Amino acid sequence: MVALGGLHVLGTERHESRRIDNQLRGRAGRQGDPGSSRFYLSLEDDLLRIFGSDRIKGIMEKLGMEEGVPIEARMVTRAIENAQKRVEAHHFEMRKHLLEYDDVLNKQREVIYSLRRAILEGSDIGERVQETADGLLDVLLDLHLPGAEHFEEWDLQSFAAAFEHQYGVSGRAEGRKLLFEKPPCTIDVEDEPRDVVAERLHGVVQEAFKAKYSRFEESVVHDLERIVYIQVLDAQWKEHLTGIEHLKEGIGLRGYAQVNPLNEYKKEAFALFEALNDRIDSEAIQYLYRLDVSQERVQVEEPEPDKELIYSHASASGFGGDGGNGAAPAAAPVRRKTPKVGRNDPCPCGSGKKYKHCHGR
């Protein structure tokens, strides 16, 4: 091969990247061996057709060159290199733009993963649970019992239903009174100021949590809180990723409205992330307050037909009774009492909406 002049590389066109062309040329002279390379191009090649065809055709016409005559000139080489530089710059901008989009999700991922890591490492989230429960109650109060309105305009019935849905505490409205069964409490909104009503409702929330877990050790309750939060966080994070992908697919169309798609993407991604945090907190509190801890096996009183959470723990940790003989009781199988509802199926409540847009939210 060396005696014949080494390897000769023939290229039928030029690549969009100069790096690829240089790699091909390098094959002809590896490790100091002799070699040569030659590239053949056509004005109909994609690279020349898009970036340099018109200019070169104009020069050929001025020189009076006919079709099919080969051109060998530095002008052509420079035109090709300029075209390659423009393509490389275009690809660089695309990668840079994609990185800016990915950076938005990466910052959200750092926040979620730091919380998840702290929970997995055994961080006590009991204080977070109580603060979240109180914060959710403040939201319900502002929605149904706003301080800017007179008590006669308050929707007590809707508040009682929302309160029971969130905390699992049965309650009802009778006239101007809110009545709760466990813990028993009667609140007269007509005779008591709103701040007193809010304070008593916070007491109902705290007492309900204490009454549910009073017979368990503190470490067991903390384990339950961590497990519930991890499972809810994982499920909601997966749903959030799907929503972000759908947002990214169509955000480029915002450019037709003379707005920056990246800025719009950042705004809407932030709104989705706030909604994600709200769903995590709301659903985790809902599960913790609706756990059925009266059996040997702790299971969820399912607030929604397609959700189920089982926490199996050895009897020595405080779940279940063994009658003092040290033998763990056999766990009864948990069976769903209602048929599972698909995310795209009609909601069982009869609203006519898909389940994922109604009670499956």
Side-chain angles (χ1 to χ4, degrees), residues 11-306:
T12 58
E13 63 177 325
R14 294 286 287 272
H15 197 271
E16 292 180 348
S17 173
R18 289 171 293 171
R19 177 179 59 84
I20 301 299
D21 288 344
N22 291 334
Q23 286 179 345
L24 291 174
R25 292 190 182 100
R27 294 290 174 181
R30 297 189 64 183
Q31 300 181 354
D33 291 340
S36 59
S37 64
R38 190 172 186 84
F39 288 81
Y40 293 90
L41 293 84
S42 168
L43 292 178
E44 297 179 357
D45 289 345
D46 290 339
L47 187 64
L48 290 174
R49 180 174 52 82
I50 297 174
F51 293 99
S53 178
D54 294 337
R55 180 185 175 189
I56 297 176
K57 281 183 178 179
I59 296 175
M60 288 177 63
E61 291 176 356
K62 290 181 181 179
L63 296 177
M65 301 185 69
E66 298 179 358
E67 184 176 354
V69 178
I71 304 174
E72 293 186 10
R74 292 186 58 84
M75 175 201 67
V76 178
T77 304
R78 287 197 302 268
I80 294 171
E81 289 180 352
N82 290 334
Q84 288 176 320
K85 289 180 181 178
R86 293 170 65 182
V87 173
E88 291 170 356
H90 176 67
H91 290 170
F92 175 78
E93 287 297 324
M94 290 179 61
R95 292 193 298 270
K96 180 182 177 182
H97 203 54
L98 182 62
L99 183 62
E100 291 174 337
Y101 277 86
D102 290 343
D103 188 54
V104 175
L105 183 60
N106 188 54
K107 291 179 180 178
Q108 298 181 0
R109 184 182 291 109
E110 290 176 356
V111 175
I112 293 296
Y113 280 22
S114 62
L115 172 60
R116 192 176 191 277
R117 188 178 302 109
I119 297 175
L120 288 175
E121 291 175 352
S123 176
D124 182 9
I125 61 171
E127 184 176 350
R128 176 189 176 94
V129 169
Q130 294 304 317
E131 290 179 354
T132 302
D134 290 337
L136 291 171
L137 177 57
D138 290 334
V139 172
L140 293 180
L141 288 170
D142 292 338
L143 181 62
H144 299 285
L145 282 66
E149 296 181 0
H150 193 265
F151 71 88
E152 293 183 351
E153 300 177 358
W154 290 351
D155 190 352
L156 299 182
Q157 197 66 42
S158 296
F159 174 80
F163 189 88
E164 181 176 358
H165 176 75
Q166 182 65 63
Y167 300 103
V169 178
S170 298
R172 66 184 188 279
E174 291 185 359
R176 301 300 177 188
K177 295 182 179 180
L178 288 170
L179 303 141
F180 299 98
E181 298 177 2
K182 295 180 181 180
C185 180
T186 301
I187 302 175
D188 193 333
V189 299
E190 183 176 2
D191 295 338
E192 298 178 348
R194 184 184 182 277
D195 55 347
V196 176
V197 172
E199 183 178 353
R200 296 192 62 185
L201 287 170
H202 280 286
V204 172
V205 171
Q206 296 172 4
E207 288 299 322
F209 191 85
K210 292 179 181 178
K212 181 177 287 290
Y213 298 105
S214 60
R215 65 191 183 93
F216 299 123
E217 297 177 1
E218 187 175 354
S219 60
V220 176
V221 178
H222 290 167
D223 284 346
L224 261 177
E225 293 170 342
R226 291 170 53 237
I227 289 174
V228 168
Y229 250 94
I230 282 292
Q231 293 197 15
V232 171
L233 187 148
D234 288 349
Q236 292 299 329
W237 175 245
K238 292 176 184 177
E239 185 174 337
H240 176 71
L241 291 178
T242 302
I244 287 290
E245 286 300 318
H246 291 164
L247 172 63
K248 189 184 297 184
E249 289 175 359
I251 200 67
L253 299 176
R254 305 292 178 89
Y256 292 106
Q258 305 300 317
V259 296
N260 189 332
L262 180 59
N263 291 338
E264 294 297 306
Y265 175 76
K266 290 180 179 179
K267 293 178 183 177
E268 297 201 17
F270 180 73
L272 289 176
F273 187 65
E274 286 189 322
L276 166 68
N277 288 313
D278 291 341
R279 291 198 309 272
I280 291 174
D281 288 338
S282 177
E283 191 168 317
I285 295 301
Q286 187 180 36
Y287 272 131
L288 287 170
Y289 273 83
R290 300 174 75 94
L291 278 172
D292 183 5
V293 294
S294 62
Q295 303 178 9
E296 291 127 353
R297 216 174 171 195
V298 179
Q299 70 182 64
V300 171
E301 295 175 355
E302 298 185 44
E304 300 171 4
D306 70 335

